[in-house]
């Protein structure tokens, strides 16, 4: 199905969404062993990673020639900090597959020179020829990566100040609000749009309103995910609960 220019795949629930995306990734890795995969953190992709690990153990599909690029990292957290996105990825995926540290990239959140780190990360992605398949979640306010409403659609990797709602949403991973970093490095919307193919994942009733806005409102910089309407190969994979406010 297609509304606007984002393709839409509706699946029954979170489990089927995760399974479908994991199978697609495994299929792509079999076809293109050197796949350049863009990855996301947050609650949404956790099921995808669990299914991918199961597929890896069941079928032996190998990731040893892949490279991965994550969307973002908190500023001020060392890679081995338990709440860093590097730790999230290591614990939930990287350590479980035949991937070595040298194939997996995230921005370095504790770099001395953050501007330089942003340029380095952007150039690193380009030096590999860009991302073949980017996985994205969507924030309640439509953010993708840490690109909050109002971010320019041609933005490259940059430092962002996190909005209080995003910090509150991420508080669940920290002890107190003051422990939640105030800034992050994120791929820009321009960086994301240069990926050859994009899967945007949304599951659960709480995503229903932002999915409605994405599919039924005019694309606009107030809704960062709506930039995907300008991408030639973006697919929203959505469960019944998250599409429940779209009537047609
Ligand atoms: P979530 O976050 O996967 O934890 O819902 C998505 C996002 O904020 O990008």
């Amino acid at each position: 199905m297609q509304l606007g220019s984002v393709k839409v795949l509706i699946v029954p629930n979170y489990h089927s969404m995760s399974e479908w995306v994991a199978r697609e990734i495994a299929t792509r890795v079999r076809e293109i062993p050197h796949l350049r995969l863009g990855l996301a953190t947050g609650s949404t992709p956790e099921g995808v990673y669990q299914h991918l690990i199961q597929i890896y153990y069941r079928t032996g599909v190998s990731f040893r020639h892949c490279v991965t690029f994550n969307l973002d990292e908190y500023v001020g957290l060392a890679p081995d900090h338990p709440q860093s996105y590097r730790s999230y990825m290591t614990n939930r995926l990287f350590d479980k597959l035949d991937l070595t540290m040298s194939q997996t990239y995230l921005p370095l959140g504790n770099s001395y020179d953050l501007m330089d780190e942003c340029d380095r990360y952007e150039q690193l992605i380009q030096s590999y020829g860009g991302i073949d398949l980017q996985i994205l979640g969507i924030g309640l306010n439509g953010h993708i990566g840490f690109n909050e409403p109002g971010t320019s659609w041609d933005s490259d990797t940059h430092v962002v100040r996190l909005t209080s709602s995003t910090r509150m949403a991420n508080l669940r991973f920290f002890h107190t609000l003051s422990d939640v970093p105030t800034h992050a490095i994120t791929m820009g919307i321009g960086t994301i749009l240069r990926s050859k193919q994009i899967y945007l994942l949304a599951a659960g009733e709480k995503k229903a309103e932002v999915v409605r806005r994405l599919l039924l409102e005019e694309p606009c910089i107030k809704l960062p995910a709506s930039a995907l309407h300008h991408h030639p190969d973006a697919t929203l994979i959505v469960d019944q609960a998250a599409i429940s406010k779209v009537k047609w």
Side-chain angles (χ1 to χ4, degrees):
M1 191 189 76
Q2 198 153 353
L3 287 169
S5 42
V6 169
K7 290 168 263 189
V8 183
L9 174 69
I10 303 172
V11 293
N13 53 42
Y14 179 76
H15 182 274
S16 37
M17 179 189 78
S18 305
E19 194 170 36
W20 189 89
V21 175
R23 278 201 196 142
E24 279 294 305
I25 294 173
T27 301
R28 297 294 301 281
V29 173
R30 281 190 203 98
E31 288 166 2
I32 310 170
H34 292 85
L35 191 74
R36 296 153 300 189
L37 193 54
L39 297 174
T41 52
S43 310
T44 305
E46 286 189 358
V48 174
Y49 299 152
Q50 285 163 12
H51 281 283
L52 204 51
I53 293 161
Q54 286 169 17
I55 294 171
Y56 168 70
Y57 282 114
R58 207 170 57 234
T59 69
V61 59
S62 178
F63 294 82
R64 69 180 185 278
H65 298 300
C66 288
V67 285
T68 70
F69 297 97
N70 263 81
L71 284 168
D72 42 25
E73 180 59 283
Y74 287 121
V75 165
L77 301 193
D80 62 355
H81 186 286
Q83 301 309 337
S84 74
Y85 285 164
R86 163 65 73 181
S87 294
Y88 170 114
M89 292 306 303
T90 301
N91 298 334
R92 287 173 177 76
L93 187 69
F94 297 159
D95 265 3
K96 314 281 197 294
L97 304 179
D98 57 344
L99 273 170
T100 60
M101 176 100 170
S102 61
Q103 296 163 259
T104 62
Y105 297 108
L106 288 90
L108 194 57
N110 65 345
S111 168
Y112 286 116
D113 187 337
L114 293 173
M115 300 303 141
D116 197 53
E117 174 60 11
C118 293
D119 291 346
R120 184 196 70 83
Y121 197 65
E122 190 69 37
Q123 282 165 22
L124 184 70
I125 296 169
Q126 310 302 334
S127 74
Y128 276 95
I131 291 168
D132 293 309
L133 173 61
Q134 175 69 55
I135 307 300
L136 295 176
I138 183 168
L140 296 177
N141 63 2
H143 73 207
I144 48 175
F146 273 127
N147 294 287
E148 301 287 8
T151 308
S152 161
W153 287 359
D154 59 12
S155 50
D156 290 335
T157 300
H158 60 288
V159 175
V160 286
R161 185 181 179 81
L162 302 180
T163 61
S164 51
S165 64
T166 296
R167 290 183 72 228
M168 283 304 291
N170 292 353
L171 174 59
R172 65 192 193 275
F173 301 111
F174 294 85
H175 292 302
T176 65
L177 189 59
S178 60
D179 295 327
V180 184
T182 56
H183 292 77
I185 296 178
T186 183
M187 284 185 199
I189 296 179
T191 322
I192 292 169
L193 290 179
R194 282 191 287 277
S195 309
K196 290 203 182 80
Q197 188 180 13
I198 298 175
Y199 288 158
L200 175 65
L201 281 53
E205 209 182 324
K206 69 177 185 185
K207 298 289 169 77
E209 176 58 18
V210 74
V211 165
R212 185 198 65 74
R213 290 179 63 203
L214 172 66
L215 295 180
L216 300 182
E217 291 182 359
E218 278 298 308
C220 155
I221 67 163
K222 288 187 195 151
L223 193 75
S226 69
L228 301 191
H229 286 295
H230 292 276
H231 190 278
D233 194 1
T235 306
L236 169 68
I237 300 118
V238 69
D239 75 353
Q240 294 283 358
I243 198 92
S244 59
K245 288 196 177 177
V246 179
K247 310 287 178 210
W248 61 84

